[in-house]
Amino acid sequence: MRTYIGGHQAVSSTDFVELALGTPLDLWLGVQGESEMERAARLDAARDILADNPDFPDRISRVAAEAIEAHAPELFNVTTLPARRAADRRQYRGGVAA
């Protein structure tokens, strides 16, 4: 099954976020190994987008809240581990069996 948003095909979770925001995530998060000049240009473009779209932070918050709400069961699926007995803890020293 294919999913299209505004005529664009979304094939990954990153695609959904980028299409919801209207900008690539790399613009906001950066790219590993980018030069100082690339970083300055990226931040300058981000400032221009924020200046032209004063409601953008609210849109980002809404997208994040919707994603958390949609995936809350998976995000907060925490299980407790059984307590280890003192004898079990004494058997292991620094990750190696004693």
Side-chain angles (χ1 to χ4, degrees):
M1 184 168 130
R2 295 182 185 177
T3 304
Y4 290 89
I5 300 173
H8 299 280
Q9 183 179 5
V11 294
S12 69
S13 58
T14 300
D15 289 344
F16 282 103
V17 172
E18 289 180 351
L19 288 168
L21 297 177
T23 62
L25 289 177
D26 291 344
L27 176 67
W28 307 105
L29 303 177
V31 179
Q32 187 174 359
E34 70 183 353
S35 69
E36 282 299 315
M37 185 181 293
E38 290 168 328
R39 181 176 189 274
R42 178 178 58 77
L43 293 176
D44 195 36
R47 277 190 285 280
D48 288 345
I49 289 171
L50 290 173
D52 292 343
N53 301 287
D55 67 326
F56 195 72
D58 292 333
R59 276 188 18 215
I60 291 172
S61 298
R62 188 172 44 256
V63 168
E66 289 171 0
I68 291 169
E69 183 179 7
H71 300 287
E74 295 91 14
L75 292 173
F76 300 110
N77 187 10
V78 179
T79 59
T80 58
L81 297 174
R84 291 175 55 187
R85 296 187 323 239
D88 293 338
R89 287 192 297 266
R90 282 193 295 269
Q91 287 180 339
Y92 296 96
R93 303 277 185 236
V96 179

